[in-house]
Each structure stands twice: as C-alpha cells, then as structure tokens.
C-alpha cells in the first residue's frame, strides 16, 4: 500500500489507524536503509515468523528509487503487508505509475480545505455540549487547514473538557 501526499497530518492519522487495527509488531525501515542494505530487507521479507503468519512493514520517505526493490520482492511478499509512505508524488512518478498499473493499493493524501477541517471538528466533538459555530471558527482560525495542528488542538480540548461540556 502506497500512502503519499502533502497532507502529513492525514498520513499520520492513517498510519496510527493501521497500527491500531493490526495490533502487531511493525518492522520499520527508511528507504535509505533499504537501499544501503537490500539483503537485510529481502531476508526479513522472506523469513517466516514464528509468532504469526503475517509481518507488517512500514517504509518511510519512499520515492522512485525504491521501485527496483519493490519489483524484486513483489512476488515474495506473500501474506506479509508492506506500507510505503511518501511526500508528494507527481503523476509522472514511476512509483505511482507502478502502483496504479498493478492495481496495488494507493492512497493519495491531499491537503484539507475549510470544509474538511470543519467536518473533522464536528465529528471529533459531536458528543460535547456547547459546541457552536463560533467555537468551530475559533478552532479553525488557530489551525488553518493544518490537520496536524487540528489534531493537537482537538486533543487539548478533549483533555481539558473532561465533562464533555464546552463553555
């Protein structure tokens, strides 16, 4: 699965959801480490786990340079899952084209706009009394369209208003 884009906050949210859902050890790599020592990564992909039937890999900071490695391991992955995380990938990106051509999971993470941020605020605080458009606009003004800042502010609100009454 390839997750890419300029919305780092959304990518981090999705990464956390994946971690929580699988609830198993995740083997983490950076593209640089794989390119420096491909054999280690290849061995880890091929080794059978004694503790489960599936391994999960997170590979950070990927770009087109990882493509030859992916082509070599694609048939070897088996039941394992590899999640690749990247910044913006242009339409001409060989990695992006490879994923789309081979019908592999691709998740673009575009920037949020005011509407998506407001929706997230309402979803996150729907069980709170006292939430009104003025409060939502205040939160929006503090965060702009930055999902990372928004998540931080929402966490503060949840920690401060334990009674679920915003006043």
């Amino acid at each position: 699965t390839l997750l890419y884009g300029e919305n780092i906050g959304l990518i981090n949210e999705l990464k956390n959801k994946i971690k929580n859902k699988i609830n198993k050890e995740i083997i983490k790599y950076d593209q640089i480490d794989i390119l420096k020592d491909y054999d280690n990564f290849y061995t880890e992909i091929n080794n059978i786990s004694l503790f489960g039937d599936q391994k999960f890999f997170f590979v950070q900071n990927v770009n087109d340079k990882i493509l030859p490695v992916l082509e070599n391991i694609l048939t070897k992955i088996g039941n394992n899952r590899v999640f690749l995380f990247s910044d913006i990938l242009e339409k001409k990106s060989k990695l992006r084209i490879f994923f789309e051509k081979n019908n592999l999971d691709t998740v673009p993470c575009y920037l949020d706009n005011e509407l998506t941020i407001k929706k997230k605020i309402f979803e996150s605080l729907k069980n709170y009394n006292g939430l009104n458009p003025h409060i939502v606009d205040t939160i929006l003004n503090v965060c702009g369209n930055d999902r990372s800042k928004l998540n931080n502010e929402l966490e503060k609100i949840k920690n401060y208003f334990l009674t679920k009454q915003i006043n």
Side-chain angles (χ1 to χ4, degrees):
T1 302
L2 173 65
L3 294 97
Y4 70 92
E6 51 199 331
N7 193 336
I8 304 302
L10 178 57
I11 290 174
N12 288 334
E13 267 184 43
L14 294 172
K15 195 182 300 183
N16 288 331
K17 284 182 182 182
I18 293 167
K19 287 178 189 177
N20 292 336
K21 184 172 180 167
I22 61 177
N23 200 21
K24 293 183 181 181
E25 179 189 0
I26 297 170
I27 303 164
K28 297 178 183 177
Y29 283 96
D30 195 280
Q31 174 179 285
I32 294 171
D33 300 328
I34 293 172
L35 295 177
K36 283 182 185 174
D37 189 6
Y38 168 73
D39 292 334
N40 179 34
F41 182 65
Y42 186 78
T43 301
E44 191 67 47
I45 289 279
N46 285 316
N47 283 345
I48 298 171
S49 174
L50 298 174
F51 303 106
D53 59 346
Q54 196 173 30
K55 290 183 189 177
F56 297 89
F57 298 89
F58 276 16
V59 183
Q60 302 283 19
N61 304 315
V62 299
N63 58 34
D64 289 346
K65 293 178 184 177
I66 195 92
L67 190 55
V69 173
L70 292 176
E71 291 171 333
N72 285 337
I73 66 161
L74 193 58
T75 58
K76 309 282 191 246
I77 291 175
N79 202 27
N80 298 326
R81 293 295 311 259
V82 178
F83 296 91
L84 306 171
F85 300 95
S86 176
D87 289 334
I88 300 169
L89 292 175
E90 300 296 327
K91 287 185 179 185
K92 299 177 199 173
S93 163
K94 293 177 185 177
L95 181 61
R96 184 172 163 182
I97 291 168
F98 176 78
F99 267 77
E100 291 169 355
K101 254 188 192 174
N102 291 292
N103 289 329
L104 300 171
D105 295 334
T106 308
V107 182
C109 298
Y110 301 114
L111 286 177
D112 287 305
N113 58 33
E114 186 175 321
L115 184 64
T116 58
I117 294 291
K118 282 185 175 183
K119 183 178 178 184
K120 177 136 179 73
I121 293 169
F122 279 114
E123 283 177 14
S124 295
L125 302 177
K126 67 182 174 191
N127 295 327
Y128 285 73
N129 294 323
L131 184 64
N132 60 47
H134 176 70
I135 292 172
V136 171
D137 286 340
T138 302
I139 296 169
L140 185 63
N141 288 336
V142 169
C143 302
N145 291 341
D146 187 334
R147 190 178 284 243
S148 295
K149 285 182 183 177
L150 174 65
N151 288 335
N152 187 33
E153 293 303 316
L154 291 173
E155 195 62 34
K156 287 179 191 176
I157 291 168
K158 289 175 182 177
N159 288 331
Y160 186 76
F161 297 102
L162 298 175
T163 61
K164 297 197 178 214
Q165 174 65 40
I166 299 175
N167 49 25

